[in-house]
Amino acid sequence: MAADFESKILELVQQIPYGKVSTYGVLAEKAGLRSSARMVGWILNKQKNNLDMPCHRVVNRFGALSGKLFFPTPDYMEEMLRSEGISFTADGCVDLSKHLFVFSD
DNA sequence: CGGGTGACTTTAC
DNA sequence: CGTAAAGCCACCC
């Protein structure tokens, strides 16, 4: 199978429920890459034209909005997450302790 | 076909 | 504790 890891990532991202977020590392791992967290962001970068995926719910290992600069506006991502009821830390990172979504295998 | 790049993560000094 | 480098793999030129 062509392990469309790209499709896998998109699928996983779309599985993230409202009010939750996930990390690149987890998505990569679930896609079977384990370490290519970069590719996750890379794929989103390709698919950024595809608004069918809540890429704003994808953050780095610390919950920081690493890709916010790739959005229409740098604040778009944070505003979006806040509107979903997601809490932010003083560091401007998503409170993963409360909103980190764990995929069920 | 080869090299450079990237929205990450981890280890090493 | 801080910065640097490497590892990772698909995609573009």
Side-chain angles (χ1 to χ4, degrees):
Chain A
M1 165 186 173
D4 297 31
F5 110 96
E6 162 186 325
S7 299
K8 200 92 146 199
I9 294 296
L10 302 181
E11 183 177 356
L12 291 168
V13 172
Q14 291 175 322
Q15 288 176 36
I16 302 175
Y18 180 97
K20 289 284 186 176
V21 297
S22 187
T23 72
Y24 298 100
V26 172
L27 294 172
E29 186 174 0
K30 290 295 179 182
L33 295 174
R34 305 183 196 173
S35 310
S36 297
R38 302 178 171 219
M39 278 285 19
V40 180
W42 190 254
I43 292 303
L44 294 180
N45 193 351
K46 285 185 8 176
Q47 298 297 321
K48 70 181 183 301
N49 294 322
N50 179 4
L51 303 179
D52 292 319
M53 100 169 72
C55 30
H56 56 269
R57 294 186 189 148
V58 185
V59 295
N60 70 3
R61 188 67 202 83
F62 300 96
L65 311 182
S66 40
K68 66 182 182 183
L69 298 174
F70 282 63
F71 282 79
T73 59
D75 296 327
Y76 180 87
M77 196 170 184
E78 182 177 330
E79 292 295 300
M80 177 68 72
L81 294 173
R82 285 185 180 281
S83 72
E84 297 193 357
I86 293 176
S87 303
F88 280 77
T89 68
D91 295 329
C93 300
V94 176
D95 192 338
L96 298 177
S97 302
K98 296 178 181 178
H99 307 295
L100 177 60
F101 174 65
V102 181
F103 292 94
S104 303
D105 198 358

